[in-house]
Coordinates of all heavy atoms in Angstrom, one line a residue:
A1 N -14.5 0.7 7.6 CA -14.3 -0.3 6.5 C -14.0 0.3 5.2 O -13.2 0.0 4.4 CB -15.4 -1.3 6.4
R2 N -14.8 1.5 5.0 CA -14.6 2.3 3.7 C -13.2 2.9 3.6 O -12.6 2.8 2.6 CB -15.5 3.4 3.7 CG -16.8 3.1 2.8 CD -17.6 4.5 2.5 NE -17.5 5.3 3.6 CZ -18.6 5.6 4.5 NH1 -19.7 4.9 4.3 NH2 -18.5 6.4 5.4
I3 N -12.8 3.4 4.8 CA -11.3 4.0 4.7 C -10.3 2.9 4.5 O -9.4 3.1 3.7 CB -11.1 4.7 6.1 CG1 -11.9 6.0 6.1 CG2 -9.6 5.1 6.2 CD1 -12.0 6.5 7.5
N4 N -10.5 1.8 5.1 CA -9.6 0.7 4.8 C -9.6 0.2 3.4 O -8.5 0.0 2.8 CB -9.9 -0.6 5.7 CG -9.6 -0.4 7.3 OD1 -9.0 0.6 7.6 ND2 -10.0 -1.4 8.0
Q5 N -10.7 0.1 2.8 CA -10.8 -0.2 1.4 C -10.0 0.8 0.5 O -9.4 0.3 -0.5 CB -12.3 -0.4 1.0 CG -12.4 -1.1 -0.3 CD -11.9 -2.5 -0.3 OE1 -12.2 -3.2 0.6 NE2 -11.2 -2.9 -1.3
T6 N -10.0 2.0 0.8 CA -9.4 3.0 -0.1 C -7.8 2.9 0.1 O -7.2 3.5 -0.9 CB -9.8 4.4 0.3 OG1 -9.4 4.8 1.6 CG2 -11.3 4.6 0.2
M7 N -7.3 2.2 1.1 CA -6.0 2.1 1.3 C -5.3 1.0 0.6 O -4.1 0.9 0.4 CB -5.7 2.0 2.8 CG -6.0 3.2 3.6 SD -5.8 2.9 5.4 CE -4.0 3.1 5.5
V8 N -6.2 0.1 0.0 CA -5.6 -1.1 -0.8 C -4.8 -0.6 -2.0 O -5.2 0.3 -2.8 CB -6.7 -2.1 -1.2 CG1 -6.2 -3.1 -2.2 CG2 -7.4 -2.7 0.0
G9 N -3.6 -1.1 -2.2 CA -2.7 -0.7 -3.3 C -1.8 0.4 -3.0 O -0.9 0.7 -3.8
T10 N -2.0 1.0 -1.8 CA -1.0 2.1 -1.4 C 0.1 1.5 -0.6 O 0.0 0.4 0.0 CB -1.8 3.2 -0.6 OG1 -2.1 2.6 0.7 CG2 -2.9 3.7 -1.3
V11 N 1.2 2.3 -0.5 CA 2.2 1.9 0.4 C 2.3 2.9 1.6 O 2.1 4.1 1.4 CB 3.6 2.1 -0.3 CG1 4.8 2.0 0.6 CG2 3.7 1.1 -1.5
Q12 N 2.3 2.3 2.8 CA 2.1 3.1 4.0 C 3.3 2.9 4.9 O 4.0 1.8 5.0 CB 0.9 2.5 4.8 CG -0.4 2.7 4.1 CD -0.9 4.1 4.0 OE1 -0.7 4.9 4.9 NE2 -1.4 4.5 2.8
R13 N 3.9 4.0 5.5 CA 4.9 3.9 6.4 C 4.3 3.5 7.8 O 3.4 4.2 8.3 CB 5.5 5.2 6.6 CG 6.8 5.3 7.4 CD 8.0 5.2 6.5 NE 9.2 5.2 7.2 CZ 10.3 4.4 7.2 NH1 10.2 3.3 6.4 NH2 11.2 4.6 7.9
C14 N 4.9 2.4 8.3 CA 4.2 1.8 9.5 C 5.2 1.5 10.7 O 6.3 1.2 10.3 CB 3.5 0.4 9.2 SG 2.3 0.6 7.9
L15 N 4.8 1.5 11.9 CA 5.5 1.1 13.0 C 5.1 -0.3 13.4 O 4.0 -0.5 13.7 CB 5.2 2.1 14.2 CG 5.9 1.7 15.5 CD1 7.3 1.7 15.5 CD2 5.5 2.6 16.7
V16 N 6.1 -1.1 13.5 CA 5.8 -2.5 13.7 C 5.8 -2.7 15.3 O 6.7 -2.3 16.0 CB 7.0 -3.5 13.2 CG1 6.7 -5.0 13.5 CG2 7.2 -3.4 11.7
E17 N 4.6 -3.1 15.8 CA 4.3 -3.1 17.2 C 4.7 -4.5 17.9 O 5.2 -4.5 19.1 CB 2.9 -3.0 17.5 CG 2.5 -1.5 17.1 CD 1.0 -1.2 17.5 OE1 0.2 -2.1 17.4 OE2 0.7 -0.1 17.9
G18 N 4.6 -5.5 17.2 CA 4.8 -6.9 17.7 C 4.2 -8.0 16.9 O 3.9 -7.8 15.7
I19 N 4.1 -9.1 17.6 CA 3.4 -10.3 16.9 C 1.8 -10.1 16.9 O 1.2 -9.5 17.8 CB 3.7 -11.6 17.7 CG1 5.3 -11.7 17.7 CG2 3.0 -12.8 17.2 CD1 5.8 -12.7 18.6
S20 N 1.3 -10.5 15.7 CA -0.1 -10.5 15.6 C -0.9 -11.2 16.7 O -0.5 -12.3 17.2 CB -0.6 -11.0 14.2 OG -1.9 -11.2 14.1
K21 N -2.0 -10.7 17.2 CA -2.9 -11.3 18.2 C -3.5 -12.6 17.8 O -3.7 -13.4 18.5 CB -3.9 -10.3 18.6 CG -3.3 -9.1 19.5 CD -4.5 -8.2 19.8 CE -4.0 -7.0 20.6 NZ -2.8 -6.2 20.0
K22 N -4.0 -12.7 16.4 CA -4.6 -13.8 16.0 C -3.8 -14.9 15.3 O -4.1 -16.0 15.2 CB -5.7 -13.4 15.0 CG -6.8 -12.6 15.7 CD -8.0 -12.4 14.9 CE -9.1 -11.7 15.6 NZ -10.2 -11.3 14.9
D23 N -2.5 -14.5 14.7 CA -1.7 -15.4 14.1 C -0.3 -15.2 14.4 O 0.4 -14.2 14.1 CB -1.8 -15.2 12.6 CG -1.0 -16.3 11.8 OD1 -0.2 -17.0 12.3 OD2 -1.2 -16.2 10.4
P24 N 0.3 -16.2 15.2 CA 1.7 -16.0 15.7 C 2.8 -16.0 14.7 O 3.8 -15.7 14.9 CB 1.8 -17.1 16.8 CG 0.8 -18.1 16.3 CD -0.3 -17.4 15.7
D25 N 2.4 -16.3 13.5 CA 3.3 -16.4 12.4 C 3.4 -15.0 11.7 O 4.1 -14.8 10.7 CB 3.1 -17.4 11.3 CG 3.2 -18.8 11.9 OD1 4.0 -19.0 12.7 OD2 2.5 -19.8 11.5
Q26 N 2.6 -14.1 12.1 CA 2.4 -12.7 11.4 C 2.9 -11.7 12.5 O 2.8 -11.9 13.7 CB 1.0 -12.4 11.0 CG 0.4 -13.5 10.0 CD 0.6 -12.9 8.6 OE1 0.2 -11.8 8.3 NE2 1.2 -13.8 7.8
L27 N 3.3 -10.5 11.9 CA 3.6 -9.3 12.7 C 2.4 -8.3 12.6 O 1.7 -8.4 11.6 CB 4.9 -8.7 12.3 CG 6.2 -9.5 12.6 CD1 7.4 -8.7 12.1 CD2 6.3 -9.8 14.1
Q28 N 2.3 -7.5 13.5 CA 1.3 -6.4 13.5 C 2.0 -5.0 13.5 O 2.9 -4.7 14.2 CB 0.4 -6.5 14.7 CG -0.6 -5.4 14.9 CD -1.4 -5.7 16.1 OE1 -2.1 -6.7 16.2 NE2 -1.4 -4.7 17.0
A29 N 1.5 -4.1 12.7 CA 2.0 -2.8 12.6 C 0.8 -1.9 12.6 O -0.2 -2.2 12.3 CB 2.9 -2.6 11.3
R30 N 1.3 -0.5 12.7 CA 0.2 0.5 12.7 C 0.6 1.6 11.6 O 1.7 2.1 11.6 CB -0.1 1.2 14.0 CG -0.9 0.3 15.0 CD -1.5 1.1 16.1 NE -2.1 0.1 16.9 CZ -3.4 -0.2 17.0 NH1 -4.3 0.5 16.1 NH2 -4.0 -0.9 17.8
T31 N -0.5 2.1 10.9 CA -0.2 3.1 10.0 C -0.2 4.5 10.6 O -0.6 4.5 11.8 CB -1.2 3.2 8.8 OG1 -2.5 3.5 9.4 CG2 -1.4 1.8 8.1
A32 N 0.0 5.5 9.9 CA 0.1 6.9 10.5 C -1.3 7.3 11.0 O -1.5 8.0 11.9 CB 0.6 7.9 9.4
N33 N -2.3 6.7 10.3 CA -3.8 7.0 10.7 C -4.3 5.9 11.6 O -5.5 5.8 11.8 CB -4.6 7.2 9.4 CG -4.8 6.0 8.6 OD1 -4.1 5.1 8.8 ND2 -5.7 6.1 7.6
N34 N -3.4 5.2 12.3 CA -3.8 4.2 13.4 C -4.5 2.9 13.0 O -5.3 2.4 13.7 CB -4.5 5.0 14.5 CG -4.2 4.4 15.8 OD1 -3.2 3.8 16.1 ND2 -5.2 4.5 16.7
R35 N -4.3 2.6 11.8 CA -4.9 1.3 11.3 C -4.0 0.2 11.5 O -2.8 0.2 11.3 CB -5.2 1.5 9.8 CG -6.1 2.5 9.4 CD -7.6 2.2 9.6 NE -8.4 3.3 9.0 CZ -9.3 3.9 9.7 NH1 -9.5 3.6 11.0 NH2 -10.1 4.9 9.3
V36 N -4.5 -0.9 11.8 CA -3.7 -2.2 12.2 C -3.4 -2.9 10.8 O -4.4 -3.1 10.1 CB -4.4 -3.1 13.1 CG1 -3.6 -4.4 13.3 CG2 -4.6 -2.5 14.5
V37 N -2.2 -3.2 10.6 CA -1.8 -4.0 9.4 C -1.1 -5.3 9.8 O -0.1 -5.2 10.6 CB -0.8 -3.1 8.5 CG1 -0.5 -4.0 7.2 CG2 -1.4 -1.8 8.2
N38 N -1.5 -6.4 9.4 CA -0.9 -7.7 9.7 C -0.1 -8.1 8.4 O -0.7 -7.9 7.4 CB -1.9 -8.8 10.1 CG -2.7 -8.5 11.5 OD1 -2.0 -8.3 12.4 ND2 -3.9 -8.3 11.3
F39 N 1.1 -8.7 8.7 CA 2.0 -9.0 7.5 C 3.0 -10.1 8.0 O 3.2 -10.2 9.2 CB 2.7 -7.7 7.0 CG 3.7 -7.1 8.0 CD1 5.0 -7.4 7.8 CD2 3.3 -6.4 9.0 CE1 6.0 -6.9 8.7 CE2 4.3 -5.8 9.9 CZ 5.5 -6.1 9.8
T40 N 3.6 -10.7 6.9 CA 4.7 -11.6 7.3 C 5.9 -10.9 7.4 O 6.4 -10.1 6.5 CB 4.7 -12.7 6.1 OG1 3.4 -13.4 6.1 CG2 5.8 -13.7 6.5
G41 N 6.7 -11.1 8.4 CA 8.0 -10.5 8.7 C 8.8 -11.2 9.6 O 8.5 -12.4 10.0
T42 N 9.9 -10.6 10.1 CA 10.9 -11.3 11.0 C 10.9 -10.5 12.3 O 10.6 -9.3 12.4 CB 12.3 -11.3 10.4 OG1 12.6 -9.9 10.0 CG2 12.2 -12.2 9.1
P43 N 11.2 -11.2 13.4 CA 11.1 -10.5 14.8 C 12.1 -9.3 14.9 O 11.8 -8.3 15.6 CB 11.6 -11.6 15.7 CG 11.3 -12.8 15.0 CD 11.4 -12.6 13.6
D44 N 13.1 -9.2 14.0 CA 13.9 -8.1 14.1 C 13.3 -6.7 13.7 O 13.9 -5.7 13.8 CB 15.3 -8.3 13.4 CG 15.1 -8.6 11.9 OD1 14.2 -9.2 11.6 OD2 16.0 -7.9 11.2
M45 N 12.2 -6.9 13.0 CA 11.5 -5.7 12.5 C 10.6 -5.0 13.6 O 10.2 -3.8 13.5 CB 10.4 -6.1 11.4 CG 11.1 -6.6 10.1 SD 9.8 -7.1 8.9 CE 10.8 -7.3 7.5
I46 N 10.5 -5.7 14.7 CA 9.7 -5.1 15.9 C 10.3 -3.8 16.3 O 11.5 -3.7 16.4 CB 9.4 -6.1 17.0 CG1 8.6 -7.2 16.4 CG2 8.8 -5.5 18.2 CD1 8.5 -8.4 17.5
N47 N 9.5 -2.7 16.5 CA 9.9 -1.5 16.9 C 10.6 -0.6 15.8 O 11.3 0.3 16.1 CB 10.7 -1.5 18.2 CG 9.9 -1.9 19.4 OD1 8.8 -1.7 19.5 ND2 10.7 -2.8 20.2
Q48 N 10.4 -1.0 14.6 CA 11.0 -0.4 13.4 C 10.0 0.3 12.6 O 8.8 -0.2 12.6 CB 11.9 -1.4 12.6 CG 12.9 -2.0 13.2 CD 14.1 -1.2 13.8 OE1 14.5 -0.2 13.1 NE2 14.5 -1.4 15.0
M49 N 10.3 1.3 11.8 CA 9.5 1.9 11.0 C 9.7 1.2 9.5 O 10.9 1.1 9.1 CB 9.7 3.4 10.7 CG 9.3 4.2 12.0 SD 7.6 4.2 12.4 CE 6.9 5.1 11.0
I50 N 8.7 0.7 8.9 CA 8.9 0.0 7.6 C 7.8 0.4 6.6 O 6.8 0.9 7.1 CB 8.9 -1.6 7.8 CG1 7.6 -2.1 8.2 CG2 10.1 -2.1 8.6 CD1 7.4 -3.5 8.1
N51 N 8.0 0.2 5.3 CA 7.1 0.5 4.3 C 6.3 -0.8 4.1 O 6.9 -1.8 3.7 CB 7.6 1.0 3.0 CG 8.2 2.4 3.2 OD1 7.6 3.2 3.9 ND2 9.3 2.6 2.6
L52 N 4.9 -0.7 4.0 CA 4.1 -1.9 3.7 C 3.1 -1.5 2.7 O 2.5 -0.4 2.7 CB 3.2 -2.3 4.9 CG 4.0 -2.8 6.2 CD1 3.2 -3.0 7.4 CD2 4.7 -4.2 5.7
E53 N 3.0 -2.4 1.6 CA 2.0 -2.2 0.6 C 0.7 -3.0 1.1 O 0.7 -4.2 1.4 CB 2.4 -2.9 -0.7 CG 1.4 -2.8 -1.7 CD 1.8 -3.4 -3.1 OE1 2.9 -3.8 -3.2 OE2 0.9 -3.5 -4.0
I54 N -0.3 -2.2 1.1 CA -1.6 -2.8 1.6 C -2.2 -3.6 0.5 O -2.5 -3.2 -0.6 CB -2.6 -1.7 2.0 CG1 -1.9 -0.6 3.0 CG2 -3.9 -2.2 2.6 CD1 -1.4 -1.3 4.3
T55 N -2.5 -4.9 0.8 CA -2.9 -5.8 -0.2 C -4.5 -6.2 0.0 O -5.1 -6.6 -1.0 CB -2.1 -7.2 -0.2 OG1 -2.2 -7.6 1.1 CG2 -0.6 -6.8 -0.6
E56 N -4.9 -6.2 1.2 CA -6.3 -6.5 1.5 C -6.8 -5.7 2.7 O -6.1 -5.2 3.5 CB -6.5 -8.0 1.9 CG -6.0 -9.1 0.9 CD -6.1 -10.4 1.4 OE1 -7.3 -10.8 1.7 OE2 -5.1 -11.0 1.6
A57 N -8.2 -5.4 2.6 CA -8.9 -4.7 3.7 C -9.9 -5.5 4.3 O -10.6 -6.2 3.7 CB -9.5 -3.4 3.0
Y58 N -10.0 -5.5 5.6 CA -11.0 -6.1 6.4 C -11.8 -5.0 7.1 O -11.3 -3.8 7.3 CB -10.4 -7.2 7.3 CG -9.7 -8.2 6.5 CD1 -8.3 -8.1 6.5 CD2 -10.3 -9.2 5.8 CE1 -7.5 -9.1 5.8 CE2 -9.6 -10.1 5.0 CZ -8.2 -10.1 5.1 OH -7.5 -11.0 4.4
T59 N -12.7 -5.3 8.0 CA -13.5 -4.4 8.7 C -12.7 -3.6 9.7 O -12.7 -2.4 9.8 CB -14.7 -5.0 9.5 OG1 -15.4 -5.7 8.5 CG2 -15.6 -4.0 10.2
F60 N -11.8 -4.4 10.4 CA -11.0 -3.8 11.6 C -9.5 -3.8 11.3 O -8.8 -3.4 12.3 CB -11.4 -4.4 12.9 CG -12.8 -4.2 13.2 CD1 -13.7 -5.3 13.2 CD2 -13.3 -2.9 13.6 CE1 -15.0 -5.0 13.5 CE2 -14.6 -2.6 13.9 CZ -15.6 -3.8 13.9
S61 N -9.1 -4.4 10.2 CA -7.6 -4.4 10.0 C -7.3 -4.4 8.5 O -8.2 -4.5 7.7 CB -7.1 -5.6 10.7 OG -7.5 -6.8 10.2
L62 N -6.0 -4.5 8.2 CA -5.4 -4.5 6.8 C -4.5 -5.7 6.8 O -3.9 -6.0 7.8 CB -4.8 -3.2 6.4 CG -5.7 -1.9 6.6 CD1 -4.8 -0.7 6.5 CD2 -6.6 -1.9 5.3
R63 N -4.3 -6.2 5.6 CA -3.2 -7.1 5.3 C -2.3 -6.4 4.4 O -2.6 -5.7 3.5 CB -3.8 -8.3 4.6 CG -2.8 -9.3 4.2 CD -2.5 -10.6 5.1 NE -3.6 -11.0 5.7 CZ -3.7 -11.4 7.0 NH1 -2.7 -11.2 7.8 NH2 -4.8 -11.8 7.6
G64 N -0.9 -6.6 4.7 CA 0.1 -6.0 3.8 C 1.3 -6.9 3.6 O 1.4 -8.0 4.1
K65 N 2.2 -6.3 2.7 CA 3.4 -7.0 2.4 C 4.5 -6.0 2.5 O 4.3 -4.9 2.2 CB 3.4 -7.9 1.2 CG 3.4 -7.0 -0.1 CD 3.3 -7.9 -1.4 CE 3.2 -6.9 -2.5 NZ 3.2 -7.8 -3.8
V66 N 5.7 -6.4 2.9 CA 6.9 -5.6 3.1 C 7.3 -5.1 1.7 O 7.5 -5.9 0.7 CB 8.0 -6.3 3.7 CG1 9.3 -5.4 3.9 CG2 7.5 -6.7 5.2
V67 N 7.6 -3.7 1.6 CA 8.2 -3.2 0.4 C 9.7 -2.8 0.7 O 9.9 -2.1 1.6 CB 7.4 -1.8 0.0 CG1 8.0 -1.1 -1.2 CG2 6.0 -2.2 -0.2
E68 N 10.5 -3.3 -0.2 CA 11.9 -2.9 0.0 C 12.2 -1.6 -0.3 O 11.7 -1.0 -1.2 CB 12.9 -3.9 -0.7 CG 12.7 -5.4 -0.4 CD 13.1 -5.7 1.0 OE1 14.0 -5.1 1.6 OE2 12.3 -6.6 1.6
A69 N 13.0 -0.8 0.6 CA 13.2 0.6 0.4 C 14.3 0.7 -0.7 O 15.1 -0.1 -1.0 CB 13.8 1.2 1.7

């Protein structure tokens, strides 16, 4: 949880894995240090590398938003 908290406000390069397990309206991605990030996106982002700004930290995951390159 401490590591997740330090990531808030940073931009992370993430691999979009698929649809979030808990919210079908969200996508799930992983950071380089293997943290799960849930965010709003489109299905064409799956299997792509994207930049996400981390907006919130939880115990086992992060919330983010897409940053335009």
Side-chain angles (χ1 to χ4, degrees):
R2 257 194 329 254
I3 294 170
N4 285 358
Q5 194 62 46
T6 65
M7 295 175 73
V8 173
T10 65
V11 175
Q12 302 288 320
R13 188 94 173 128
C14 301
L15 173 63
V16 181
E17 294 184 323
I19 296 170
S20 171
K21 290 174 177 59
K22 293 187 177 178
D23 185 351
D25 295 330
Q26 299 266 306
L27 293 179
Q28 175 179 300
R30 285 200 184 261
T31 65
N33 63 351
N34 209 31
R35 303 279 186 233
V36 173
V37 184
N38 293 302
F39 67 99
T40 302
T42 57
D44 63 317
M45 292 178 170
I46 295 174
N47 295 324
Q48 303 293 318
M49 295 293 292
I50 62 168
N51 290 323
L52 293 173
E53 180 183 350
I54 307 305
T55 58
E56 297 178 69
Y58 303 103
T59 305
F60 298 108
S61 67
L62 300 162
R63 174 99 39 224
K65 66 179 180 180
V66 177
V67 175
E68 297 302 322

